[in-house]
Amino acid sequence: MALSAAWQGRLPLGKVFWLYGVLLSTLVTLLYVWLALREDGGSPLRQFLVLAFVPYTAWILVSIWRCAPNARRPYYGGMARALTVAWAINAALLIVFVEIDRWV
């Protein structure tokens, strides 16, 4: 299975970074924004997306870190690791503030 292969660092970095990282997180973000703009707010599904983002963030961070040595060029691996750590910090802050906003 591709998800476990990514977790184990056996996939090409480009596939994990662009497909499972950038594309998937963009689609989830667009879905979240679309639900937020709806009149009813789509609250239960939005909450599910926020909470599902936590394990996804952990998974993608570890997967990219482990697949970094598989990059076509060595510096791509380092850049992907740095970008993913920054993205994970951003995602963690986003999750915290979305949850704070939900309860305040």
Side-chain angles (χ1 to χ4, degrees):
M1 175 182 243
L3 298 180
S4 64
W7 176 263
Q8 295 166 1
R10 294 186 288 118
L11 291 180
L13 175 64
K15 180 178 183 177
V16 175
F17 184 86
W18 292 108
L19 184 63
Y20 300 139
V22 174
L23 182 63
L24 186 59
S25 64
T26 300
L27 292 174
V28 170
T29 301
L30 289 173
L31 176 60
Y32 181 87
V33 169
W34 179 74
L35 289 169
L37 294 175
R38 289 183 45 200
E39 197 169 308
D40 64 358
S43 186
L45 183 54
R46 277 179 40 205
Q47 183 63 20
F48 171 78
L49 290 174
V50 169
L51 296 178
F53 224 58
V54 174
Y56 165 75
T57 297
W59 175 81
I60 197 64
L61 179 63
V62 170
S63 296
I64 288 176
W65 200 269
R66 291 179 178 171
C67 290
N70 303 338
R72 286 193 313 230
R73 295 196 170 104
Y75 58 90
Y76 286 172
M79 287 189 324
R81 283 178 171 173
L83 288 169
T84 303
V85 168
W87 179 86
I89 292 168
N90 181 53
L93 290 172
L94 180 70
I95 290 165
V96 167
F97 287 118
V98 164
E99 288 302 303
I100 287 173
D101 187 49
R102 184 172 187 262
W103 296 107
V104 173

